[in-house]
Amino acid sequence: MNAIEFLTRYWGQIVELTGEHLYMSASAILISIAVGIPLAVWMTRNRKIAVAIQSVINIIQTIPSISLLLIIMIFLGLGYSTAIVALALYSLLPIVQNTYAGLENVDKSMIEAGAGMGMTPLQLLTQVKFPLAMPIILAGIRIAAVVAVGSATIATFVGAGGLGEMIMRGISTTDDQKILAGAIPAAILVIAVDMLIGKVEKKATFRVQAKSVKEQ
């Protein structure tokens, strides 16, 4: 069977598995953002809390992916939920680290200027700190997205599908074409996500630089 015949026969399956792959990855990233950014904000308020949160996240990162899946599977069972939670946990580190670093390194003079204008702490956070830290935050989200999309292939071990399922079919039947049918779309997704968020990151960086030049 040549490549064209293979794609014709399995195209429907590839599209379906790609959809599952994207669903799990996107869900994990959204959860990581929803959890990671508030955690990073909390970390900026208390150094001890920052150290504790960082330590917990670092410990999670050291757990092998299969082991983490099995641990979560004990509580959530087989399926999408287990895979999404595992991917979200793996994606937390770059989001938390970059958001924390971005907020902590905002120009103090900008914060003082905002405070001098009578801004509340919440206004300083949303109108000064977050806009200026956005390029660094987006860099963390970019890394997290690449991690999630690339790691989603392991979801097949807990019955969650995705492109990893096609790869496993190829491995179990020693079929190189099935392996490539899963691996190539997965690689393309990683590259596409990286490029897409990279463009958003560049635009955010340009806006911050333009705003700094204007205020100077």
Side-chain angles (χ1 to χ4, degrees):
M1 186 187 302
N2 60 38
I4 296 176
E5 290 176 348
F6 180 85
L7 287 173
T8 302
R9 177 176 296 185
Y10 292 102
W11 180 251
Q13 293 182 39
I14 294 172
V15 171
E16 181 182 353
L17 294 175
T18 301
E20 293 175 353
H21 201 97
L22 285 172
Y23 167 71
M24 290 184 290
S25 303
S27 299
I29 289 300
L30 290 175
I31 292 172
S32 295
I33 292 171
V35 174
I37 291 179
L39 278 179
V41 173
W42 191 21
M43 288 167 67
T44 62
R45 306 295 174 84
N46 190 303
R47 295 288 181 181
K48 291 182 179 179
I49 290 174
V51 172
I53 292 174
Q54 188 69 56
S55 299
V56 171
I57 294 175
N58 285 337
I59 290 171
I60 292 172
Q61 292 292 314
T62 62
I63 302 174
S65 55
I66 300 300
S67 299
L68 184 61
L69 275 175
L70 294 177
I71 292 170
I72 298 171
M73 186 179 67
I74 294 173
F75 300 98
L76 300 181
L78 295 171
Y80 289 124
S81 298
T82 296
I84 290 170
V85 171
L87 292 173
L89 289 174
Y90 270 122
S91 303
L92 264 180
L93 181 62
I95 292 175
V96 172
Q97 278 188 336
N98 280 45
T99 303
Y100 177 67
L103 294 175
E104 283 288 279
N105 290 297
V106 170
D107 190 344
K108 303 300 180 185
S109 63
M110 301 292 289
I111 299 173
E112 291 172 1
M117 293 170 61
M119 286 186 172
T120 64
L122 180 59
Q123 288 175 325
L124 285 172
L125 178 65
T126 58
Q127 298 178 30
V128 178
K129 292 183 180 180
F130 266 124
L132 293 176
M134 191 54 64
I136 300 176
I137 295 173
L138 285 173
I141 293 174
R142 180 182 181 182
I143 296 169
V146 169
V147 169
V149 175
S151 301
T153 52
I154 64 173
T156 186
F157 292 106
V158 290
L163 291 166
E165 184 175 324
M166 183 65 77
I167 295 172
M168 287 304 299
R169 289 178 193 172
I171 293 174
S172 61
T173 59
T174 62
D175 188 332
D176 292 342
Q177 289 183 328
K178 285 185 178 180
I179 294 173
L180 291 174
I184 292 175
I188 291 172
L189 283 179
V190 170
I191 295 170
V193 168
D194 182 58
M195 291 178 63
L196 179 62
I197 302 179
K199 288 184 178 180
V200 177
E201 181 188 341
K202 286 181 180 178
K203 287 183 179 179
T205 302
F206 176 78
R207 287 179 181 176
V208 170
Q209 291 175 344
K211 184 177 179 180
S212 298
V213 171
K214 184 178 180 180
E215 290 177 349
Q216 288 175 358

